[in-house]
Amino acid sequence: MPSRSAAAVTAIEEPQTMPGLQFDEPLSWRAGKSIPVADLLKRLNALSREMQNMEQDENERDSFTKVAKELVSPNLLGHKDKGVKALTATCLVDVLRLCAPDAPYTSQQLRDIFNMIIGQILPALADPSNAYNNQHLYVLNSLAQVKSIVLLADIPSADAMIKNVFAICFDVISGSSKASPGEDMQKNVEINMTQLLVCLVDESQTLPPEVVDIIVAQFLRTDPKALGGEGGKNKKKHEVVNEKQSTLVLRQLPPAYNMAKYICNACPEKMARYFSQYFNDVIVDASGSAHQKQPSKTRKRHSGGPEDSDDEHGSGPTEDDLKELRKVHGLLRELWRACPAVLQNVIPQLEAELSAENVQLRLLATETLGDIISGIGAAGLPAPPILDPAAYPSNALSNPLDNTVSLNLLTKPSSPQPFPSAHPQAYSNYLGRRHDRSSLIRAAWTTGIGRILTTSAGGAGLNQQDEDRLISDLSRMMGDADEKVRIAAVKVVASFSFRAIVSKLGRPGGVMDSGSLLATLAERVRDRKHSVREEAMTVLARIWGVAVGEVSAENEQIIALFGGIPSKILDTYYTNDIEIMVLLDRVFFEQLLPLSYPPIKAKSNKTTNGYSQGAKGSQGAADGMEETVDPDKIRTERILLLIRDLDDRARKVFYAIQSRQLILAKVMSTYLERCEDYNGGVMDENEAQIKEHLTRLIKTFACLLPNSQQATSDLWKFAKMHDRRSYQLIRFCMAPESDYRTVFKAIKEFTKRINDASSSASASNSLLETLTILIYRVSLIVYNKSHVPAIMEYSRTDDQSLAATAHEILREISCKTPEVLKAHVHEICRVLQDEAPSAKKPNDAGAVDNLKACASFASRYPQEIPRDRKFLQAMSGFALHGSPPAAAKHAVSVIWAATERKGVLAKDLARKCIEGFKYGEEGFLARLATLSQLMLLAPGEIDDPSVDQILDIAIKQILLQVREPSNKPADAYEWSSTTDPEVLAKCWALKLLVNRIRSHPVAETLPDVAAPVYQLLSTLVENLGEVSKAKDTPPAHKSRLRLVAARQYLKLCKQKTHDALLTPFAFNAFTTVAQDSEKPVRSGFLQRLKKYLNNQKLPPRFYTIPFLLAFEPSDELKVDVTTWIKSRAAAFASAKATGASTRANTVMESVFARLLSVLSYHPDYASAPEDLIDFSRYIIFYLQNVATADNLSLIYHIAQRVKQCRDAVSYSPAPDAPPTETDERLYQLSDLAQVTIRKYEDLHNWTIQTLPAKIRLPTSLFAEIKSHAEAQRIAEHHYLPAGVEAGVENLLKMAMKAARLAQHGKKRKSEGVDVDHRESKKWKGLPVRRASQPKKKTTTAKKVHTPKTKKGRERDEQGSGERRRSGRVKEVEKVYAERDSEEDDEEMEFMDSGGLEVKEEGDADADADATGSDADPNDEGDVQDDVEHGEEEAKEEEPTPKTTPRSKKRSTISPKAKPKASPRTKARATRSRAVAV
């Protein structure tokens, strides 16, 4: 059966036959016989469906030959219908898929195919609404998935086609105008295009440079400036892109960017090669032009100095080159974020740029590497965190908002891998740019390391060692020699968030920890450049303002880090720099205590003009917060927190700022009155007087501002504006009746009015700046009545341990501006009434501060004090049982001011205090204090028997009794910070006796009554506090009694009649308190002395005492006194400039004669050469603080006049009597002074002029020589031994060199000698000098050098008290009446002598001390307790403007020093060696 067999064979062979394409319709045609479009579309669609269902290995390839040939016909590839092209493309890609890997086309045919696809199909993908979009997507998917696109690489000369593929794909994916609104491109288009391009890159042997350019350009899509376009049609000519506008920054990565990123990461090796070549070409071309092109005459040159010139070895790159380089370096930043692997060959090129000769190239490389390490791309950094000091609630570490991640992916720093570990060599070289010779590079490097720290190296993290090194480097850059670098370092700190400042920058320590970054930042507030100071002070203040929330929460870490910031800022006041003071005012009222803080409204405080204190949109201000918080209490808490953490120096500055407000407010009130009289320049009468007075007032304000000329012009402009509303607004700011909201609104409205007036009248911006500073200075911002209730509440509750501070500021308000307390004084009195003590019930510890505030207020406004019986009984309770005793003293003052029955109450209180008085019983100290105050306030109300009993209590029962005798040696002398009841009682007894003298009503009997008291005070001063005959007073009691006695002397001498009773002998002994062996005694005495001299309450002779600190061992105390002397000298010089009297202007010069007189009676005086050289240090100390080129002639003339007189302190000799020993001393000191002044003149290149008139010296100290022959002999005789002049010259040179070093902020030690020429050993002896033992006169300089070992032993065998006393002082005849020293000073007038100008209506230019401290507000009661620690007096005294001390740092003395050597002996030995050389 053959048929069956054939059929079987056929059945067996059929499965082996592969199916083929079934489509057999024609697709091509001849010319003129075209296929209709509809039929052609139908056929192509059928072919496409059939081929899409076919698999590559399951069909006969030959069956596609005909179709493949027809599909590449020009009729189809070039057909006009888009549908035909789309279906043809789908069929073609299927042919390529089914025939892979060998395409059935020639190279030319493939070229035609891809030209059609690239030119027609791929661009059409940009329009998702296209009718043939599915076919377009199919073509793209096939090319990407089947990888048919690789055939493009096999076509000869296909670079242009490859370039077009990349260009079209990136254009399509980045968006097209053809897309309909609301239609988004499908994600698979991006994926397939990415795969398509990766295939091309991976399979191509080389990529055209244009393709690399296209890929690189995609990374610029993250740059907001690039997105905004440059010079587009709709772009204004000079429009500047605002980088702060978030609308210019994309919120997600662009698809084209993601495509380029994927391509680079998929083919890292190839792309690294391409990118390396790309950047090398650009960089080399731009860098090469710097050396090939000649310098152009029109090229701009930088003004940064030689080190910042464009090119150290030729001209730099052109602007076009730099523009291209910046663009390229911006790409490098973004490439590191996206695909760091492709930069493996570029980073070394960038590293090489760090060593380029051209500054601009190095700068670009430094900036780029810093941003690369930080993970910062082309979009730049995100907006820096805002340190808003006025925000409420303040930024807290627990606040999650501070740790939120930026939602902007373009600006979020990101580094895929840690740069230091990936490129260690480049990182090391980058860190080496810290030493670059160009300040521009160092500044850019500083900014770079700041970004590395803030971003934690782009999120990759830094190890602890690297982070610590960067922080240390940042700290060093704050001390760079160039101000641009220092400013950059300070700005870096400002770019940190508060949390980062705490966790990173605060790790080495806080602002008070020497060597830490924050401490270095705090030092910059005293920078020699104002721009650095301004930046540093502002940043520090903002940090504290943000940290105040944590400070309030008692976060110990935050307090340790930032608690000292206000002290550092306020301490700049002592520099006496006007620019710094203006900056301090701005920072104080805009950062530390911002006027708008807290930015919320009070609940019920409404004002007439309806301004709101709140800041719109402020940080943390919730909608319902206004109903739950009290802004006045919040602000008060901030003020108290600031004061609480201030050190003593800064605390004095804080209160000085408030005291200055009182003085300048008076001047401003007068200025406003004169402006109203001026009437904009139109005056009917008194025109000359008004202009003259207005000129002086304007001059007063102008001298307080940096640019006095501009300030004068601005104040005249304001006067000519004649804006009465502005006048009233300023008065609102100064009025004690204004609450805080009124003051704030007035400042706000005033600022707006001046700003509007300046813009409308084309006035300079300086007008607002000038007036703003003055408004800050005259406004009642801190001492405002709105703060009083909260202060009183804190004083009662001690919330956050602020009670002591609240009491302190309440006391200051009551002393300085008691008007503020008017609305609250009854509340204070009610609290005192509730806290009144009794024999069984003690009073609260804080009651004494309330009593002091009430007493200060009562002294000015007695009618406002309650007078009911209960209140007076409460005050009586304080007077009899108050604790501490000062409470009783203030209670008596309140009673005396409040009651009309003064005599009855005084007698009753005196009787109760005297009856049954017994030492040690309950309330005995309070009774002593009450009796002391009664002796001052009511001397005539107490009968004589009662006075006798009071004196008996004070003297016999208290002062002359030693209840706890000391078992220590009689000459033991020490200080104790604690006090026992016995020494307290003696101090109050002394004050009682002194108060009786102060209130003595009869001048004729005053000398007799005062003589015993003066004798007692002199005994205490001269005998080092010892008054007992048994010499058994405890050493700690003696030092405190001596201090109290010295202070009581000062208090007595404030009255002219009492000062006359202090003889020159007693005064000379009294001056030695300034050289007491205990620093608290010296400090406490000098602080009280400076306070009274500041207030002009002591005669000029007391200016002698501060100049005895030439040998002061305490650097702090010596610098403080030096600063004060210079400030007083500056104040007198300012008074001279305003035309005040000659006598008042020459106080500091005329006191030189008194200084020589005091030195002639000094216990340490000796005529040996080394002693005289030692004494020249007093004169040098005087000259360094007082002498100027203008007054040196006067000082020299005074020194000459001393030699033309005799000493009149001891006695008045007969006309023909020979000179006494004291006279010889005076003549020696006169010659010594003249020599020293001459040497001082030579070193300064000054010239001493001859004065036209003869100066008269005080007749109480100096007597004229009657004999002309004797006067001639004395004048011709030289009283200085040989060698003194050379020693003085050497000492002066050393002092001047030390002063110069101190002025430049350097510390110098050489061979164990500090800047004051003392050996660096701790001195255990007394700070005063000692007289040397008599010895033969030396005639040569060599003898000066002889050791004095025996003398040193004899000196140490004496007691500490005996060392300090001279035999001449012991023999003082107690005479308590003499010529008044003030009259003596009047005789020192020379040439024209005019009277002091009388102040008129607050005209502060008559007061040369307008910026200093004001008068004691409660002097009659002596509000400060004399029994307190000596150094605590510093809290009372207000700082005066300080000039930079000449000796800023002195070395302390080593503990290994021999106790037998005094500092004078050591100084002499050192100096003698120098003289011998």
Side-chain angles (χ1 to χ4, degrees), residues 939-997:
E941 306 297 337
I942 305 176
D943 53 23
D944 292 340
S946 297
V947 171
D948 294 338
Q949 289 180 297
I950 293 172
L951 295 178
D952 181 77
I953 291 173
I955 298 174
K956 294 183 179 179
Q957 297 187 39
I958 303 297
L959 285 173
L960 299 182
Q961 297 293 327
V962 180
R963 289 175 171 80
E964 295 182 4
S966 172
N967 54 6
K968 296 183 179 180
D971 58 354
Y973 187 81
E974 62 187 32
W975 177 266
S976 174
S977 58
T978 60
T979 55
D980 54 40
E982 182 179 359
V983 72
L984 286 175
K986 290 184 177 181
C987 292
W988 281 107
L990 273 177
K991 295 177 67 176
L992 186 153
L993 297 176
V994 170
N995 283 347
R996 176 170 174 260
I997 304 302

Side-chain angles (χ1 to χ4, degrees), residues 188-215:
N188 61 347
V189 175
E190 177 184 343
I191 296 174
N192 289 326
M193 280 190 173
T194 304
Q195 292 295 333
L196 182 78
L197 300 182
V198 168
C199 288
L200 276 178
V201 173
D202 198 31
E203 297 296 332
S204 299
Q205 293 295 330
T206 59
L207 284 179
E210 294 84 357
V211 172
V212 179
D213 293 343
I214 293 172
I215 296 175

